[in-house]
């Protein structure tokens, strides 16, 4: 079975500050990992993904995440927060083989303070 | 715009009723997934179809069913609705190449009164 834990249901940072959203996963097989962002009243948009290869992956809007197998983590970072980054962020895991369903964390609501 | 469309955007109905949610995948995508997002359960996978065939089932109630048609659009049917079925229902689609990233539609917000 697979599961995802996002530490912190709410994170608040100042504009220009570092954004760090934490995600830990559990998977019995090599995982594929994803971060999605959800703006109010909208669907989920894929930010970035890790499948194979380089463990530091870059996504849209200046976000990046690093897959750390030893720590079973896939934390999302952005060096400098922008007001437009305020949204809900979801970490998700799926198997690299077989079932393709995504298992999501509970989400982290990011607030940006001016 | 992900290329996945869902109709309707909003649906308000009464307990005991039946509704149908519709999803059109991105052009060329053969897989369609349905997810439910609620405050207490979060985002949960319901069911996946691939080229018209059921591929995987998740936490889908027996009162719910889905199908995928030859033109690849999909419908999620919810019957004997209860207050607890109020949620956002998302459809996602993926292709059969690459790493099968799932692209999500804007969702249908269902309110059961």
């Amino acid at each position: 079975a697979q599961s995802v834990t996002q530490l912190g249901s709410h994170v608040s940072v100042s504009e220009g500050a570092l954004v760090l959203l934490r995600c830990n996963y559990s998977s019995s097989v090599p995982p594929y990992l994803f971060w999605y962002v959800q703006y109010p009243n909208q669907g989920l948009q894929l930010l970035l993904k890790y499948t194979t290869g380089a463990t530091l992956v870059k996504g849209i809007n200046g976000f990046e995440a690093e897959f750390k197998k030893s720590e079973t983590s896939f934390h999302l970072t952005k060096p400098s927060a922008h007001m437009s980054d305020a949204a809900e962020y979801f970490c998700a895991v799926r198997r690299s083989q077989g079932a393709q369903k995504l298992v999501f964390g509970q989400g982290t609501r990011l607030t940006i303070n001016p | 715009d992900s290329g996945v469309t869902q109709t309707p955007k909003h649906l308000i109905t009464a307990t005991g009723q039946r509704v149908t949610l519709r999803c059109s995948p991105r052009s060329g995508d053969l897989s369609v997934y349905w997810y439910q997002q609620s405050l207490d359960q979060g985002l949960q996978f319901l069911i996946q179809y691939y080229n018209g065939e059921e591929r995987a089932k998740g936490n889908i109630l027996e009162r719910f069913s889905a199908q995928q048609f030859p033109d690849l659009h999909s419908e999620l049917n919810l019957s004997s609705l209860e207050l607890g079925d109020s949620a956002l229902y998302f459809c996602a689609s993926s292709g059969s190449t690459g790493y099968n990233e799932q692209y999500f539609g804007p969702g249908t917000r269902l309110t059961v009164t």
Side-chain angles (χ1 to χ4, degrees), chain B residues 7-59:
Chain B
T7 56
K9 276 195 85 166
H10 301 276
L11 203 45
I12 302 174
T13 190
T15 54
Q17 294 299 304
R18 172 190 167 94
V19 297
T20 297
L21 313 184
R22 183 188 168 104
C23 167
S24 292
R26 293 186 318 159
S27 177
D29 283 357
L30 299 179
S31 274
V32 169
Y33 310 77
W34 287 96
Y35 292 85
Q36 180 194 60
Q37 184 179 33
S38 62
L39 280 174
D40 51 346
Q41 299 285 337
L43 266 161
Q44 298 230 344
F45 167 73
L46 295 178
I47 197 164
Q48 177 196 1
Y49 275 81
Y50 178 81
N51 202 20
E53 303 280 331
E54 183 183 303
R55 177 63 68 90
K57 234 173 182 176
N59 300 324

Side-chain angles (χ1 to χ4, degrees), chain A residues 31-93:
Chain A
Y32 287 170
L33 294 157
F34 305 84
W35 275 99
Y36 284 87
V37 60
Q38 184 178 27
Y39 297 101
N41 300 314
Q42 292 189 28
L44 285 82
Q45 182 182 7
L46 181 63
L47 268 181
L48 51 78
K49 65 181 186 287
Y50 169 78
T51 52
T52 60
T55 56
L56 181 63
V57 293
K58 295 186 185 300
I60 61 171
N61 302 337
F63 284 93
E64 61 183 39
E66 187 170 11
F67 170 60
K68 291 188 177 181
K69 186 178 176 181
S70 61
E71 299 176 10
T72 60
S73 69
F74 190 57
H75 302 331
L76 181 70
T77 60
K78 181 173 180 178
S80 177
H82 192 273
M83 296 298 291
S84 61
D85 295 328
E88 186 130 24
Y89 292 79
F90 292 92
C91 182
V93 64

Side-chain angles (χ1 to χ4, degrees), chain B residues 100-111:
Chain B
N100 310 116
E101 299 94 336
Q102 293 180 29
Y103 293 89
F104 282 74
T108 294
R109 182 172 293 281
L110 173 66
T111 303

